[in-house]
């Protein structure tokens, strides 16, 4: 059975997810700086290959953050439109739960955590 939620519950989840994504975006900047520090100190082929790998992974993660943010903001616009179309019923109407968004965020967070752990291992070896 499909779960239904109030517009307020969905909006709060959107805000939480967007804040998390901003945090991850900030973390990408820090990760990039650490990778650059290692690249400056170590010019071996092995380190250059690994720093390229991590820089590419950061680009992919940034793209995923942008995609997720866009999808969440689009859903927020849909909810806003629904509220504007029927302002009297918005307090009582229930909307389909955004299960796909929740799953996408969970997958992203798992992959980001894995990347962070891999990067920490790399940094601990080469810094």
């Amino acid at each position: 059975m499909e779960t239904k939620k109030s517009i307020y519950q969905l909006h709060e989840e959107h805000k939480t997810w967007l804040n998390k994504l901003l945090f991850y975006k900030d973390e990408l900047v820090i990760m990039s700086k650490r990778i650059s520090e290692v690249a400056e100190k170590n010019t071996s082929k092995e380190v250059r290959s690994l720093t390229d790998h991590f820089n590419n992974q950061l680009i992919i993660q940034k793209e995923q953050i942008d995609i997720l943010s866009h999808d969440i903001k689009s859903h927020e616009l849909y909810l806003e439109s629904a509220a504007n179309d029927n302002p009297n019923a918005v307090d009582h109407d229930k909307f389909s739960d955004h299960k796909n968004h929740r799953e996408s965020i969970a997958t992203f967070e798992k992959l980001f955590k894995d990347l962070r752990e891999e990067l920490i291992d790399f940094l601990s070896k080469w810094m």
Side-chain angles (χ1 to χ4, degrees), residues 3-21 68-69 71-73 75-76 79 95-103 105 109:
T3 305
K4 299 279 189 173
K5 291 188 173 183
S6 76
I7 195 170
Y8 304 108
Q9 290 171 307
L10 296 174
H11 176 67
E12 284 303 313
E13 285 182 318
H14 287 163
K15 287 188 341 186
T16 299
W17 293 337
L18 289 171
N19 284 333
K20 282 182 174 186
L21 292 173
L68 289 168
S69 295
D71 290 349
I72 293 166
K73 289 175 184 176
H75 195 248
E76 189 70 16
L79 294 176
F95 294 84
S96 296
D97 186 21
H98 41 209
K99 181 181 173 192
N100 292 342
H101 291 122
R102 182 175 295 100
E103 290 171 355
I105 291 288
E109 287 183 312

Side-chain angles (χ1 to χ4, degrees), residues 2-90:
E2 184 178 19
T3 305
K4 299 279 189 173
K5 291 188 173 183
S6 76
I7 195 170
Y8 304 108
Q9 290 171 307
L10 296 174
H11 176 67
E12 284 303 313
E13 285 182 318
H14 287 163
K15 287 188 341 186
T16 299
W17 293 337
L18 289 171
N19 284 333
K20 282 182 174 186
L21 292 173
L22 284 173
F23 172 79
Y24 289 126
K25 205 170 198 175
D26 288 344
E27 196 165 352
L28 288 176
V29 172
I30 294 166
M31 294 165 111
S32 179
K33 287 179 184 176
R34 297 298 159 260
I35 293 168
S36 294
E37 288 174 14
V38 169
E40 288 173 12
K41 293 177 184 177
N42 303 284
T43 57
S44 73
K45 217 173 189 178
E46 177 187 9
V47 171
R48 182 167 308 266
S49 173
L50 288 168
T51 57
D52 287 346
H53 161 74
F54 283 112
N55 281 322
N56 289 334
Q57 291 301 307
L58 297 186
I59 290 167
I60 291 168
Q61 294 304 310
K62 184 187 179 309
E63 289 172 353
Q64 287 304 303
I65 289 170
D66 291 343
I67 290 167
L68 289 168
S69 295
H70 178 270
D71 290 349
I72 293 166
K73 289 175 184 176
S74 293
H75 195 248
E76 189 70 16
L77 289 174
Y78 161 76
L79 294 176
E80 183 179 327
S81 175
N84 289 336
D85 289 348
N86 197 353
N88 294 331
V90 76

